[in-house]
Amino acid sequence: MAKHEPHLDLLFHALSDPTRRIMLNRLARGPAPVTELAGLSGFKLPTVLRHLSVLEEAGLVTTQKDGRVRFCAFQPAALRPMTDWLEDQRQLWEARLDRLDDHVMTLMKERET
């Protein structure tokens, strides 16, 4: 059985929703107040706060209150475990496909003789 990595589950879950991806795209340009993020989605504040809590749980977003305004900031370093996992998968499958290609080429050469 594959090794279970709960943190990766949180990251992939957080990124699986288009609303959360829109929020992250906006936050990639810099911190923003929650009200601005709500305006992007058209959702009411409680729904936006639920989306933000998913992003926070995954470590992708931090929030800070300044007076009555809550600001959100993107934490791109939180994507590192996911990008590392994806790179491992890419290398694994490239190696498998290279071996398959070698095997097919060997079979074709044997067939020619």
Side-chain angles (χ1 to χ4, degrees):
M1 184 171 165
K3 185 175 142 187
H4 180 68
E5 299 185 44
H7 189 68
L8 282 177
D9 295 347
L10 292 173
L11 286 169
F12 280 111
H13 172 68
L15 294 173
S16 69
D17 186 272
T19 299
R20 291 190 288 265
R21 291 192 306 269
I22 288 169
M23 290 176 175
L24 286 177
N25 282 339
R26 166 52 192 90
L27 293 173
R29 294 192 316 261
V34 171
T35 53
E36 181 180 336
L37 298 176
L40 292 173
S41 65
F43 292 136
K44 296 196 182 287
L45 199 54
T47 302
V48 171
L49 291 173
R50 281 194 297 272
H51 281 294
L52 285 172
S53 70
V54 171
L55 293 169
E56 280 187 284
E57 185 178 1
L60 292 167
V61 169
T62 58
T63 61
Q64 181 178 7
K65 196 166 186 177
D66 185 15
R68 295 179 61 150
V69 179
R70 180 166 296 280
F71 285 91
C72 303
F74 179 43
Q75 302 301 309
L79 292 170
R80 187 61 183 206
M82 187 177 64
T83 58
D84 290 346
W85 182 84
L86 288 169
E87 178 60 21
D88 291 345
Q89 294 302 306
R90 185 191 64 74
Q91 290 175 8
L92 173 82
W93 283 100
E94 280 184 359
R96 287 178 179 176
L97 290 171
D98 288 345
R99 288 192 306 272
L100 176 61
D101 186 51
D102 292 344
H103 180 66
V104 169
M105 293 305 286
T106 301
L107 290 175
M108 288 175 64
K109 287 178 185 175
E110 289 174 359
R111 196 172 201 181
E112 289 176 359
T113 58

